């Protein structure tokens, strides 16, 4: 803790960056750097925020105004009705609920698999753990999309059970759990927890179950946060798999699968409102948990390296 | 450290046994009971297995078995109705002799190449600039990452129905009309369709790379900058001789990740253009999709599996060769 505090305090001081402190005294350096900073800010706002802000504007602009001039700012007032039309008349409310159910189920499945799996591989370490770890690392090399065909056949004609899972949410929840990336990520976190704690707990008579729930899980909140936000975001963004396995039950499809169909059904303003509703949860979630998102994003780069 | 723990635990339990049994006999008996199921359960073998069960079941069902099944499918004629028959390498032959195969490979390589031209240098420049701005760093990172959290379907539909709208009132065409240019049919002509997809995809994905670079930049030793300026190096020479060498490992990783990611491009061509116009945006995964689900579901599963397998094999071989070749340059 002290080390972290020291580092934070160190960051607050002006550390020498690319531009030396002596160079900052020269006016032309300050002008060039200042200009580059303003340009960067303008570009980042325009590119990162611009499309989102435009989407929000388009969602409450009458379709006819958007079609006439996409850059005009509410020439004939605001059409809040787009949002209510989208919510009720094209059933976005229902698809929104479907998306939540799908995301929460996938999240639960991923968390259970990642924590129990990593606990076995990192803490309990039976003799066969090495073999499973090697298999998981090998699985990391297989991109998920190339398994779409065998997975689809397995869901529609499962072996042993002989009852199709297509059109059911289990077809999305269960395969979501098979994320080798999650297990490896959580395992690496568990690997760095102090072994002494586990030994102390064992000496105090805690069994593997108690150890898992009272020591390991409470200590791993940071990594569980990272896995959680990415699990929910991934399911919210998911398109191809739900599009395939829920193809014949439009009532059960999530928003991202329905949006292309909504585009064919309705006018542009209502479509944009539906898109804004679909984007709202990830955007708000990101703004609230941005630290977790950004840490997780850099973690994934480090892990894959 | 682990080894020490294990040894101390072993000696502790051994001395315990010696204390109880007091002879060599006790030790040998201990060896025998250790192999029994009771001992296995007491020693935590059962609980480890119970904890591992969800993982083993899910990965077997949805990861390891499908990998094996993919290989089997690529060697079979199958249509989901009749029992499958062995086909040898027929599926592979059919895919390779399909004129669309070469088109798809070329298009995917074109997409990956363009994505490198757009998407590789821009995040690096942005990250170096952002890391220099200490006050606004957090704001910049959040803004740069924002497009990443948007659902890809929302991004694609927004760009398709508004930004790339081919008439005069499309957003890009409106802006260009201020300079008396256009209107352009961005997605409608074979020449511009692919660059248009790459542009949207770069917008949607660059944030992740920027964040990875920013994290790597914080690890750059700032004293090196000071040392370099003492030696009289300017900003450019510092970037060239300090920043880039320190980022070498991360730069190689993001290069590999980007190539692997863009080789799997699907949703952009699927939603923007359905592979058109004139197959100019038909990518490998879109061809897989068309084989499997294009005309009647199930007829082309063999070819789809064969093509998926070729893609997976290519990516695996590529990553191994890439890591071998770059091992000596990488810092990590």
């Amino acid at each position: 803790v002290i080390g972290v505090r020291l580092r934070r305090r160190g960051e607050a001081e002006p550390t020498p960056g690319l531009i030396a402190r002596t160079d900052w005294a020269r006016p032309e350096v300050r002008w060039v750097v200042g200009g580059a900073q303003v340009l960067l800010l303008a570009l980042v706002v325009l590119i990162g925020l611009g499309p989102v802000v435009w989407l929000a504007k388009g969602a409450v602009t009458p379709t006819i105004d958007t079609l006439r001039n996409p850059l005009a700012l509410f020439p004939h007032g605001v059409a809040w009705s787009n949002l209510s039309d989208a919510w009720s008349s094209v059933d976005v409310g229902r698809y929104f609920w479907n998306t939540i159910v799908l995301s929460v189920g996938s999240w639960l499945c991923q968390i259970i698999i990642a924590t129990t799996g990593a606990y076995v591989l990192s803490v309990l370490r039976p003799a066969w753990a090495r073999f499973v770890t090697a298999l998981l690392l090998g699985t990391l090399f297989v991109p998920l999309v190339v398994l779409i065909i065998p997975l689809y056949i397995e869901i529609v004609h499962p072996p042993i059970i002989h009852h199709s899972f297509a059109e059911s949410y289990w077809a999305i929840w269960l395969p979501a759990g098979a994320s080798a990336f999650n297990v490896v990520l959580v395992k690496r976190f568990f690997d760095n927890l102090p072994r002494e704690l586990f030994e102390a707990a064992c000496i105090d008579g805690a069994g593997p179950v108690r150890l898992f729930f009272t020591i390991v899980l409470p200590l791993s909140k940071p990594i569980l946060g990272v896995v959680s936000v990415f699990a929910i975001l991934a399911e919210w963004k998911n398109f191809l798999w739900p599009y395939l396995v829920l193809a014949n039950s439009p009532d059960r499809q999530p928003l991202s699968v329905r949006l292309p169909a909504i585009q064919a059904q309705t006018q542009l303003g209502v479509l944009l409102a539906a898109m804004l509703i679909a984007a709202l949860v990830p955007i708000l979630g990101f703004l609230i948990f941005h630290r977790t998102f950004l840490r997780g994003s850099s973690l994934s780069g480090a892990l894959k390296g | 450290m682990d080894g020490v723990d294990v040894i101390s635990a072993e000696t502790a339990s051994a001395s315990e046994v010696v204390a109880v049994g007091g002879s060599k006999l006790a030790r040998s008996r201990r060896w025998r009971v250790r192999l029994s199921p009771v001992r296995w359960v007491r020693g935590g073998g059962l609980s480890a297995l119970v904890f591992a069960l969800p993982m083993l079941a899910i990965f077997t069902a949805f990861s390891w078995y499908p990998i094996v099944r993919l290989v089997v499918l690529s060697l079979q004629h199958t249509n989901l109705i009749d029992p499958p028959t062995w086909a040898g390498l027929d599926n592979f032959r059919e895919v390779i002799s399909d004129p669309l195969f070469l088109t798809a490979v070329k298009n995917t390589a074109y997409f990956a190449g363009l994505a490198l031209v757009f998407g590789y240098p821009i995040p690096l420049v942005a990250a170096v600039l952002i890391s220099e701005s200490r006050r606004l760093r957090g704001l910049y990172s959040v803004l740069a990452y924002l497009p990443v959290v948007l659902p890809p379907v929302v991004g694609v539909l927004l760009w398709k129905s508004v930004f790339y709208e081919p008439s005069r009132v499309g957003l890009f065409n409106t802006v260009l009309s201020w300079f008396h240019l256009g209107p352009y049919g961005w997605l409608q002509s074979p020449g511009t369709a692919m660059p248009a997809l790459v542009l949207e995809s770069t917008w949607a994905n660059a944030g992740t790379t920027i964040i990875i670079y920013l994290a790597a930049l914080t690890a750059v030793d700032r004293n090196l900058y000071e040392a370099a300026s003492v030696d009289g190096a300017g900003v450019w020479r510092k970037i060239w001789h300090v920043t880039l060498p320190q980022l070498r490992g991360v730069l190689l990783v993001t290069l590999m990740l980007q190539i692997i990611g863009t080789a799997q491009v699907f949703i952009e061509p699927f939603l923007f253009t359905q592979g058109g116009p004139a197959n100019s945006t038909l990518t490998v995964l879109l061809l897989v999709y068309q084989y499997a689900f294009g005309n009647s579901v199930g007829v082309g599963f063999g070819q789809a599996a064969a093509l998926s397998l070729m893609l997976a094999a290519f990516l695996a071989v590529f990553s191994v060769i890439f890591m071998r070749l770059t091992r000596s340059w990488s810092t990590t």
Side-chain angles (χ1 to χ4, degrees), chain A residues 11 13-21 23 36-37 40-41 44-45 47-49 51-52 54-55 66-71 109 112-113 116-121 124-126 128 132 135-136 139 141-157 159 174-175 177-180 183 195-196 199 208-209 212-213 230 233 236-237 239-240 243-244 256 259-260 263 268 271-272 275 278-279 282-283 286-287 290 293-294 297-298 300-301 304-305, chain B residues 1-2 5 44-45 47-49 51-52 54-56 58-67 69-70 73 78 80 126 128-130 132-134 136 138-154 157-163 169-171 174-175 178 203 207-208 211-212 215 218 222-223 225-226 229 234-235 238-239 243 253 256-257 264 266-267 270-271 285 288-289 292-293 297 301 304-305 308-309 311-312 315-316 319-320 323 332:
Chain A
E11 260 177 14
E13 284 171 24
T15 45
L18 271 173
I19 294 145
R21 252 172 271 169
D23 279 342
Q37 293 286 354
L40 177 71
L41 181 64
V44 169
V45 168
I47 296 170
L49 200 58
V52 178
W54 193 93
L55 175 63
T66 304
L67 288 180
R68 226 174 260 150
N69 181 359
L71 287 169
C109 197
I112 293 173
I113 305 287
T116 55
Y119 180 59
V120 173
L121 300 181
L124 298 183
R125 276 193 236 171
W128 40 268
V132 176
L135 264 183
L136 285 177
T139 316
F141 277 88
V142 182
L144 193 67
V145 275
V146 304
L147 298 180
I148 285 277
I149 308 296
L151 271 174
Y152 180 81
I153 296 179
E154 194 182 344
I155 289 296
V156 179
H157 296 283
L174 294 180
S179 160
V183 179
R195 301 273 125 189
E196 293 80 7
E199 278 153 29
V209 179
F212 180 66
F213 284 105
F230 281 98
L233 181 68
W236 204 277
K237 289 169 77 172
F239 170 75
L240 180 58
Y243 176 81
L244 286 176
S256 62
L259 283 175
Q263 184 190 21
L268 184 62
L271 171 71
L272 291 172
M275 283 157 60
I283 291 175
F286 171 58
L287 292 181
H290 66 270
F293 271 99
L294 297 183
S297 198
S298 51
S300 67
K304 281 170 186 167
Chain B
M1 182 188 137
D2 259 339
D5 288 344
S47 53
L49 195 62
F51 266 103
M55 171 179 70
L56 295 178
I58 291 286
F59 273 89
T60 306
F62 302 113
S63 190
W64 300 328
Y65 172 73
I67 291 173
R69 188 77 195 272
L70 176 71
L73 273 172
T78 184
L80 291 188
V128 169
L129 281 172
I130 289 174
E132 279 307 297
S133 159
R134 280 172 213 119
L136 293 178
L139 178 68
Y140 283 142
S141 320
V142 168
L143 287 179
Y145 198 75
L146 191 60
V148 178
V149 303
L150 285 188
V153 177
V154 171
L157 287 183
L158 181 66
W159 283 61
K160 185 184 178 185
S161 59
V162 179
F163 295 5
V169 299
L171 198 136
T174 306
V175 173
W178 301 341
W203 167 77
T208 311
I211 298 305
I212 292 176
T218 54
R222 300 244 146 191
N223 291 326
Y225 288 135
E226 206 153 24
S229 32
V235 171
K238 273 187 244 173
I239 291 180
T243 315
V253 169
M256 189 175 89
L257 288 182
Q264 301 169 39
F266 174 79
I267 195 164
F270 184 72
L271 288 175
L285 273 182
V288 168
Y289 177 86
F293 306 101
V297 174
F301 275 168
S308 300
L309 190 61
L311 178 66
L315 290 179
S319 346
V320 170
M323 287 196 281
T332 44

Side-chain angles (χ1 to χ4, degrees), chain A residues 16 36 39 44 47 55 58 61 67 99 109 119-120 138 156 162 164 182 194 198 217 227 232 242 244 251 264 270:
Chain A
L39 194 70
V44 169
I47 296 170
L55 175 63
T61 304
L67 288 180
T99 317
C109 197
Y119 180 59
V120 173
V156 179
H162 299 300
S164 172
N182 279 346
F198 305 155
L217 279 191
V227 171
I232 290 176
L244 286 176
D251 284 356
V270 179

Side-chain angles (χ1 to χ4, degrees), chain B residues 71-325:
Chain B
V71 178
V72 172
L73 273 172
S74 71
L75 301 173
Q76 283 179 334
H77 289 302
T78 184
N79 59 9
L80 291 188
I81 301 157
D82 303 319
T85 53
W86 290 103
L89 295 175
D90 281 1
N91 289 322
F92 292 92
R93 249 176 250 130
E94 279 164 37
V95 168
I96 290 172
S97 61
D98 185 347
L100 286 179
F101 170 70
L102 206 60
T103 312
V105 171
K106 275 186 198 158
N107 286 340
T108 308
Y110 183 43
F111 184 97
L114 272 182
L116 275 186
V117 172
F118 290 162
Y120 196 61
I122 292 173
L124 180 62
V125 173
V128 169
L129 281 172
I130 289 174
S131 75
E132 279 307 297
S133 159
R134 280 172 213 119
R135 264 173 305 162
L136 293 178
R137 244 187 90 129
L139 178 68
Y140 283 142
S141 320
V142 168
L143 287 179
Y145 198 75
L146 191 60
V148 178
V149 303
L150 285 188
V153 177
V154 171
V156 170
L157 287 183
L158 181 66
W159 283 61
K160 185 184 178 185
S161 59
V162 179
F163 295 5
Y164 288 148
E165 165 64 35
S167 66
R168 271 191 312 103
V169 299
L171 198 136
F172 285 172
N173 282 337
T174 306
V175 173
L176 287 177
S177 74
W178 301 341
F179 308 98
H180 305 286
L181 292 169
Y184 297 106
W186 304 91
L187 299 165
Q188 278 70 24
S189 101
T192 54
M194 193 62 103
L197 302 198
V198 174
L199 197 62
E200 191 275 342
S201 148
T202 304
W203 167 77
N205 297 311
T208 311
T209 323
I210 294 183
I211 298 305
I212 292 176
Y213 288 151
L214 274 175
L217 280 167
T218 54
V220 171
D221 187 356
R222 300 244 146 191
N223 291 326
L224 289 177
Y225 288 135
E226 206 153 24
S229 32
V230 169
D231 290 346
V235 171
W236 296 115
R237 296 191 57 179
K238 273 187 244 173
I239 291 180
W240 189 251
H241 291 294
V242 179
T243 315
L244 291 183
Q246 295 263 312
L247 288 184
R248 203 163 41 186
V250 160
L251 282 169
L252 291 172
V253 169
T254 51
L255 179 64
M256 189 175 89
L257 288 182
Q258 191 175 356
I259 291 173
I260 291 176
T262 48
Q264 301 169 39
V265 58
F266 174 79
I267 195 164
E268 284 89 358
F270 184 72
L271 288 175
F272 268 125
T273 53
Q274 288 284 337
N279 289 326
S280 61
T281 55
L282 180 78
T283 60
V284 170
L285 273 182
L286 195 57
L287 188 60
V288 168
Y289 177 86
Q290 288 184 358
Y291 280 143
F293 306 101
N295 302 316
S296 52
V297 174
V299 177
F301 275 168
Q303 285 99 304
L307 186 51
S308 300
L309 190 61
M310 286 195 270
L311 178 66
F314 169 78
L315 290 179
V317 170
F318 167 78
S319 346
V320 170
I321 292 178
F322 187 91
M323 287 196 281
R324 276 276 162 79
L325 283 182

Side-chain angles (χ1 to χ4, degrees), chain A:
Chain A
V1 179
I2 294 167
V4 172
R5 269 196 204 141
L6 277 179
R7 214 179 298 150
R8 279 208 188 128
R9 213 172 283 160
E11 260 177 14
E13 284 171 24
T15 45
L18 271 173
I19 294 145
R21 252 172 271 169
T22 45
D23 279 342
W24 276 110
R26 287 160 55 197
E28 69 266 27
V29 169
R30 246 185 287 170
W31 274 109
V32 169
V33 174
Q37 293 286 354
V38 170
L39 194 70
L40 177 71
L41 181 64
L43 273 179
V44 169
V45 168
L46 185 72
I47 296 170
L49 200 58
V52 178
V53 170
W54 193 93
L55 175 63
K57 178 200 90 93
V60 291
T61 304
T63 302
I64 195 132
D65 288 343
T66 304
L67 288 180
R68 226 174 260 150
N69 181 359
L71 287 169
L73 199 63
F74 306 120
H76 301 104
V78 177
W80 296 108
S81 61
N82 284 347
L83 288 167
S84 52
D85 280 356
W87 189 262
S88 48
S89 67
V90 288
D91 264 353
V92 164
R94 170 193 299 232
Y95 308 132
F96 188 79
W97 174 247
N98 292 346
T99 317
I100 291 178
V101 173
L102 277 175
S103 300
V104 170
S106 297
W107 165 75
L108 203 64
C109 197
Q110 290 190 40
I111 282 286
I112 293 173
I113 305 287
T115 50
T116 55
Y119 180 59
V120 173
L121 300 181
S122 170
V123 180
L124 298 183
R125 276 193 236 171
W128 40 268
R130 269 180 196 204
F131 173 69
V132 176
T133 308
L135 264 183
L136 285 177
L137 288 175
T139 316
L140 277 180
F141 277 88
V142 182
L144 193 67
V145 275
V146 304
L147 298 180
I148 285 277
I149 308 296
L151 271 174
Y152 180 81
I153 296 179
E154 194 182 344
I155 289 296
V156 179
H157 296 283
I160 308 165
I161 303 169
H162 299 300
H163 169 270
S164 172
F165 281 96
E167 318 303 330
S168 139
Y169 282 173
W170 293 105
I172 291 163
W173 289 335
L174 294 180
S179 160
F181 180 73
N182 279 346
V183 179
V184 174
L185 195 67
V186 177
K187 177 183 177 293
R188 292 221 176 162
F189 187 87
F190 287 178
D191 285 345
N192 289 326
L193 292 176
R195 301 273 125 189
E196 293 80 7
L197 268 178
F198 305 155
E199 278 153 29
C202 285
I203 289 167
D204 288 348
V209 179
R210 285 264 308 264
L211 184 65
F212 180 66
F213 284 105
T214 60
I215 309 277
V216 174
L217 279 191
L219 280 175
S220 47
K221 272 179 200 151
I223 199 68
L224 294 187
V226 168
V227 171
S228 298
V229 295
F230 281 98
I232 290 176
L233 181 68
E235 196 50 62
W236 204 277
K237 289 169 77 172
N238 202 356
F239 170 75
L240 180 58
W241 186 241
Y243 176 81
L244 286 176
V245 297
L246 300 175
N248 298 321
S249 30
D251 284 356
R252 302 173 62 75
Q253 289 171 350
L255 267 169
S256 62
V257 175
R258 285 311 291 169
L259 283 175
I262 290 174
Q263 184 190 21
Q265 269 169 29
T266 183
Q267 46 168 331
L268 184 62
V270 179
L271 171 71
L272 291 172
M275 283 157 60
L276 180 68
I277 294 170
L280 219 51
V281 168
I283 291 175
L284 290 179
F286 171 58
L287 292 181
I288 296 168
F289 300 110
H290 66 270
R291 276 173 207 283
T292 313
F293 271 99
L294 297 183
R295 193 182 44 196
S297 198
S298 51
L299 253 184
S300 67
L303 176 64
K304 281 170 186 167

